[in-house]
Structure formats: C-alpha cells, structure tokens
Amino acid sequence: MSSRRSAFSIGLWSVGIALLAHESEPRASVIVTMECRADMAELRFSSVPPPANNDAATAAKFTLVDGERDRNSGSLAVLHDGRIPEGEDQPSANLFFGPGTDGGRLAIDLGMAIRVKQVNTYSWHPNTRAAQVYRLYAADGEAKEFLSSPKRGTAPESCGWTLLASVDTRAADGSENPKHGVAIARSENGALGRYRHILFDISRTEDRDLFGNTFFCEIDVVDADGPVPVAATSGPGERIFKSFECEGGKYRFTIDATAAPDLLKWAEAELKPVVQAWYPKLVALLPSDGFVARTNLTLRFRGDMGGTPASTSGGLINMNSEWFRRELRGEARGAVVHEMVHVVQDYGRARRTVSRANRAPGWLVEGIADYIRWFLYEPETKGAEITERNFTRARHDSSYRITGNFLNWVTQRYDPAVVRKLNALAREGNYTEGLWKEWTGKTLTELGAEWRQEHENRLTSGRAN
C-alpha cells in the first residue's frame, strides 16, 4: 500500500503489482487505485476516472461464466450501457449475484485484441454491497490451451489467462462508504497489454448474512488507441444539486432537485435549516455504544414514487415531488425529520455485523420515527393524538403515529429513556419483547391495554361533558 488519504469519508489506496504482459509489451508495474467516498451526490471520484459511455466495453459481449444473478439485479447490459444509478440503492441499475452465493465469474469479449490502457470498475450501495473484491485476468485468446469461459474450479492461469490485479476495497477498520471506484493501469504511460478477453473472478464482501454480493454498476475497458472517454450520465438533463453542512463540516448534506427544479428554492429556505438543526439532534437522541452515524446524506426529489411520500435507503432520502408540492405548508418538513430518524436508526447494521440478530418489528421502527417527529419536533401540531376518529385502530403495534403516541405515553408514565434504550438494542440486534417487562414491570400487552384504556376513559369523559 503506497498511499492512504482520508477527508470527507474519502479513502484512497494505490497498490503496485508486478505484471508480465504480452510479449510485445515490456515488463511493467500495474497500479490499482481504489477510492471510496460518501461526500458527493453523484458517482464521481478524485483519483479514479468517472464512468465512461464510449469505452471499449460499450459494444463488447458480456457473459456470466459462473454464478447466479440475483432476481432483482439488472441485466449484464447495465455494466456497459454508459449509464450510472441515480442513487445508492437502485437494484435494477446494478449487476449483483444471488443471496447467499459467493460471487461468480464474468467474462468480456472485446471482439478483437486491443491495447488495453485501463480497466475501471464502479459500485454504489449503502453498506457492505458497495465494496469490491475480485481478481482480474486478461488474455489475447491465442494460447493453444485457451478457454474463453473457465468455470470456478479451473485456474485461469492454466488455460491462457494472465492475472493482472487483485482488488479488495473493504476498509481495514470495517467502516463503510457507499461509492467505490477502482482504476487498474500501468504505472508508466502505455497499455496493460494487448488483450481481447477480460475475466473477473468476483467474491462476496462478507458472509455474515445473505447480502454480501457487490452492486456493480459499470465496468469500463479503455482502449489506449481509442477515443477520449466521455463521462457517463445518470439521467437526462442537467443535474441540480445544492450542498451544505452543519456542525463545522461534521455533517454534509446534498439536495438533488434534478427531478423538481421548482422545489429547490423551498428546500434551501425551509428544509435546509430543519436538516441542519435536527440531524445532529437525532444523532444525540439515539446513541449506542460504538455507533457512529452517517456523516453524508443526500435528499433527492423523485417523480416516480406513486403514493409514497418519502422513503429512506442508507444515507439517501427519497422525496415524492408531487406529494411535497401539496405539503410545503403542511407535513413536508416533518416527513423529512421522520426519514432522518431512519437514517440514524441504521437497524440494518445489526444484520451486517451480528449473527442471528433479532430484527426489530416494523411497527416499532416506524413508531420511534413518528414519536420523535410528532412529540419532539412538532408537538404543537398534535398530529399523533388519539381521537374518536382513530380510536378503533388504537393498538400499541398500529405503527406510525399511533405507536408514536403509545411510546410517548410509556415515556411519561414509566421510563423517560425507553425510546433511547429500545433504539440502542434494536440497532445491536438485541430487541426482545421481554424488555418491556424488565424496564416497566409490565408486559407489552399489559402496557398496550392500559394505554388504550386511558384514552377510552378520556374520550368517554369528553363525550359526557
């Protein structure tokens, strides 16, 4: 490892590997530059070239030699279509192997031997599916023993392939960044070698759960004698971004208004101050031992969310532009606070780091977010009250506002720290229903019945008056 740099959650590694290229090329050193970052809304890097839409792989033939493609994965075409995902969790824009499998092999036939200048790979995902782990081979196809599609169990070196590089972008300290870029090139100007065939032997990034296979979104093969690479795009038209920080640069946010330029002015004037004030508050409200909250968030307006107001995936908050236009003076800001709670909760962390983690029930996940929204962020709106209209649905596990009301009641009656403690154990994969009895002296069922009865008594009294 020759260099390492860290800034704004940027990781950069350059690794030198001895290479014996094709006989027409001199012996040279291969440099593998690996960069991981989380501080930009787009898939861009400082030391790795951006994905291209006119490289030699664009018209090449891609073949899945070994391994099973996930049913939610995009086709092989997404790897060389010259387009990149619009966000960090867009399965259809990525190629990834099936759950529980250990990667596979992918072959590229360029159609003819060319002087390969560089091979670049790109991935984008909120957690362990962002890192890249693979061995890269190349061949001109002229060896007598050459096999174009060697299955696992067959060493590529035994059938006409040359190992160019071994890649592993996983951080030594276990930290995660959503964007990973790798550039494999010669240390001197020139080509890696004259090759027609490229082979990736891809491994999963972890085996603690079923979801350790990388989201590969683009693979570029740059022809040393070809055209100057043109950067790929993620959508039509100009990208419209607004970035800002808080806490002296500790937290960085990007608003992506490409799909709704008319909402940028509102976002800057109304949403930005809420995000700057409340994200650090949420991090302080929901701590746990050893937990470090995301420092980079993207808030993206989208026009394809149907009836869903907002959603969260890792550090990406999606905002339904049509719904937000209707709610600019109503629930828009509160909806973002709710989604920021989900970012800080990070309950997927346990599934990635703890074997046999207990998954927190969905009603509790959403209830905590709505408790914070309605009782801490905007209590004056009384948006989570139990009324005659919703009392028939008043169960502790009804989720969202109703569960938020239940959590507020338990906080006031029994344990002021109950939400903080529930969150910490849910994040660690240690939530159990027995916790309620341990902390309050009553079972969850008993608490729910008592809470409901109090509301019924209140509503009955109100009707009598």
Side-chain angles (χ1 to χ4, degrees), residues 237-377:
E238 180 184 358
R239 308 291 290 175
I240 302 174
F241 297 120
K242 178 67 177 182
S243 296
F244 55 94
E245 300 173 347
C246 70
E247 300 266 301
K250 181 178 181 179
Y251 301 111
R252 192 170 190 272
F253 313 93
T254 299
I255 294 173
D256 182 350
T258 304
D262 59 300
L263 292 176
L264 182 60
K265 183 177 180 180
W266 171 85
E268 289 190 75
E270 301 292 337
L271 184 58
K272 173 182 172 182
V274 172
V275 172
Q276 288 175 311
W278 273 87
Y279 188 72
K281 288 183 182 180
L282 298 175
V283 173
L285 282 167
L286 301 174
S288 62
D289 291 343
F291 174 70
V292 178
R294 292 178 182 273
T295 57
N296 295 271
L297 276 69
T298 297
L299 299 93
R300 182 180 65 179
F301 287 109
R302 289 177 52 178
D304 59 350
M305 296 182 66
T308 302
S311 67
T312 295
S313 175
L316 172 66
I317 295 176
N318 296 301
M319 303 177 292
N320 185 329
S321 55
E322 183 178 351
W323 184 87
F324 268 73
R325 289 186 183 103
R326 296 197 304 267
E327 294 292 337
L328 294 184
R329 297 181 180 276
E331 294 194 20
R333 288 168 294 181
V336 173
V337 171
H338 175 105
E339 298 303 327
M340 287 196 298
V341 174
H342 287 325
V343 174
V344 177
Q345 284 174 317
D346 196 11
Y347 294 162
R349 179 173 182 260
R351 296 194 297 275
R352 303 191 299 270
T353 59
V354 180
S355 60
R356 299 183 180 179
N358 292 329
R359 186 187 294 266
W363 62 265
L364 181 61
V365 177
E366 299 297 345
I368 289 175
D370 259 13
Y371 160 73
I372 291 175
R373 173 187 176 177
W374 296 111
F375 291 95
L376 301 183
Y377 168 67

Side-chain angles (χ1 to χ4, degrees), residues 58 169 175 197 239 254 294 342 352 386 447:
T58 304
T169 69
S175 60
H197 302 275
R239 308 291 290 175
T254 299
R294 292 178 182 273
H342 287 325
R352 303 191 299 270
I386 303 301
L447 290 169

Side-chain angles (χ1 to χ4, degrees), residues 19-311:
L19 166 69
L20 180 60
H22 186 271
E23 291 182 358
S24 63
E25 297 287 341
R27 182 184 296 269
S29 176
V30 171
I31 295 297
V32 181
T33 302
M34 300 178 284
E35 186 176 349
C36 314
R37 64 190 306 153
D39 64 319
M40 300 179 72
E42 289 187 291
L43 195 65
R44 292 291 186 269
F45 303 92
S46 59
S47 298
V48 174
N53 65 12
N54 65 335
D55 61 289
T58 304
K61 179 182 178 182
F62 280 60
T63 302
L64 196 61
V65 173
D66 216 342
E68 174 189 353
R69 184 169 60 89
D70 192 285
R71 66 179 182 178
N72 295 313
S73 166
S75 67
L76 290 173
V78 302
L79 295 175
H80 58 122
D81 61 358
R83 303 189 67 80
I84 54 179
E86 295 184 9
E88 62 184 8
D89 192 7
Q90 192 177 350
S92 63
N94 296 271
L95 187 285
F96 53 102
F97 293 98
T101 63
D102 186 9
R105 284 184 174 176
L106 174 70
I108 304 174
D109 183 349
L110 300 171
M112 61 181 293
I114 64 171
R115 291 200 312 131
V116 176
K117 179 180 180 180
Q118 202 164 26
V119 178
N120 306 325
T121 57
Y122 307 87
S123 54
W124 193 1
H125 193 268
N127 47 62
T128 55
R129 309 185 85 161
Q132 301 180 25
V133 182
Y134 64 81
R135 289 164 68 84
L136 176 69
Y137 298 85
D140 58 14
E142 296 176 4
K144 182 177 180 180
E145 70 277 15
F146 177 67
L147 292 178
S148 62
S149 301
K151 296 279 189 179
R152 279 187 164 172
T154 299
E157 296 93 335
S158 70
C159 52
W161 293 88
T162 297
L163 175 65
L164 294 185
S166 293
V167 171
D168 188 341
T169 69
R170 293 174 295 188
D173 61 2
S175 60
E176 296 172 0
N177 284 309
K179 305 178 185 71
H180 290 233
V182 177
I184 301 169
R186 262 180 53 180
S187 55
E188 302 86 1
N189 291 331
L192 290 166
R194 192 170 188 84
Y195 301 116
R196 171 176 174 172
H197 302 275
I198 306 292
L199 178 69
F200 289 86
D201 191 357
I202 301 167
S203 299
R204 60 189 170 191
T205 65
E206 52 89 12
D207 60 3
R208 294 183 300 271
D209 55 34
L210 300 178
F211 309 107
N213 282 304
T214 303
F215 269 39
F216 286 96
C217 58
E218 189 75 12
I219 294 177
D220 289 349
V221 179
V222 181
D223 186 347
D225 303 311
V228 175
V230 175
T233 60
S234 57
E238 180 184 358
R239 308 291 290 175
I240 302 174
F241 297 120
K242 178 67 177 182
S243 296
F244 55 94
E245 300 173 347
C246 70
E247 300 266 301
K250 181 178 181 179
Y251 301 111
R252 192 170 190 272
F253 313 93
T254 299
I255 294 173
D256 182 350
T258 304
D262 59 300
L263 292 176
L264 182 60
K265 183 177 180 180
W266 171 85
E268 289 190 75
E270 301 292 337
L271 184 58
K272 173 182 172 182
V274 172
V275 172
Q276 288 175 311
W278 273 87
Y279 188 72
K281 288 183 182 180
L282 298 175
V283 173
L285 282 167
L286 301 174
S288 62
D289 291 343
F291 174 70
V292 178
R294 292 178 182 273
T295 57
N296 295 271
L297 276 69
T298 297
L299 299 93
R300 182 180 65 179
F301 287 109
R302 289 177 52 178
D304 59 350
M305 296 182 66
T308 302
S311 67

